[in-house]
Amino acid sequence: LTRNRLVAALSHGTVVMEAAFRSGALNTLNWAEALGRVAMAVPGPILGPGSELAARAAGGDTQAEAVLATWADLSAEALEILQMTIDPQIVVLGGGLSQMPGFVERLEAALPARLMPGTPRPILRLARHGDASGVRGAALLARMAAAEQPWTC
């Protein structure tokens, strides 16, 4: 629970898209709200069967659109920090949210307002293998390290 408090304190805001009733995500959300940070939650699953958030936003639901806009702004802020710190040419996005329709487009639209003038925009791409991309990448790195091969893409 201390970790959740620290995450909330170090973040400008927290948007919880999916969480079990008793979860660290909701604990972090509660701390964010208590600390006066942006705190938003979406009830129910946002992906897969029964997922309605993106569809509701596309259909004109202003509350759903506000949640997605806030999420995109906070995500763009995280990308800005990444860009200013390590200056990647490309950022590969994965995880469950990457399955949401319009995921990359929302981030691309939110990013220019966050980047300092003259800062190059990274290219945003979805992970080729979806949710499993991170695990596959880690396995590839482990195999290459074991074989002491140089890094290649």
Side-chain angles (χ1 to χ4, degrees), residues 54 68 71-72 97-109 126:
L68 289 178
W71 164 80
L97 284 177
S98 66
Q99 298 173 22
M100 183 174 59
F103 176 76
V104 171
E105 293 79 9
R106 280 187 181 278
L107 281 178
E108 286 176 337
L126 289 178

Side-chain angles (χ1 to χ4, degrees), residues 31-52:
W31 277 110
E33 189 171 36
L35 293 168
R37 306 292 198 262
V38 173
M40 302 178 87
V42 178
I46 64 161
L47 304 168
S51 170
E52 294 185 28

Side-chain angles (χ1 to χ4, degrees), residues 5-7 11 15 22 24 29-30 56 60 69 77-78 81 84 86 88 95-96 103 107 114 120 129 139 144 149:
R5 192 172 331 139
L6 287 171
V7 168
S11 302
V15 178
R22 293 181 51 106
L29 183 72
N30 289 332
R56 286 177 42 201
E77 182 178 15
I81 293 167
M84 298 299 288
I86 62 172
F103 176 76
L107 281 178
R114 286 291 180 174
H129 301 289
M144 289 173 14
Q149 295 179 0

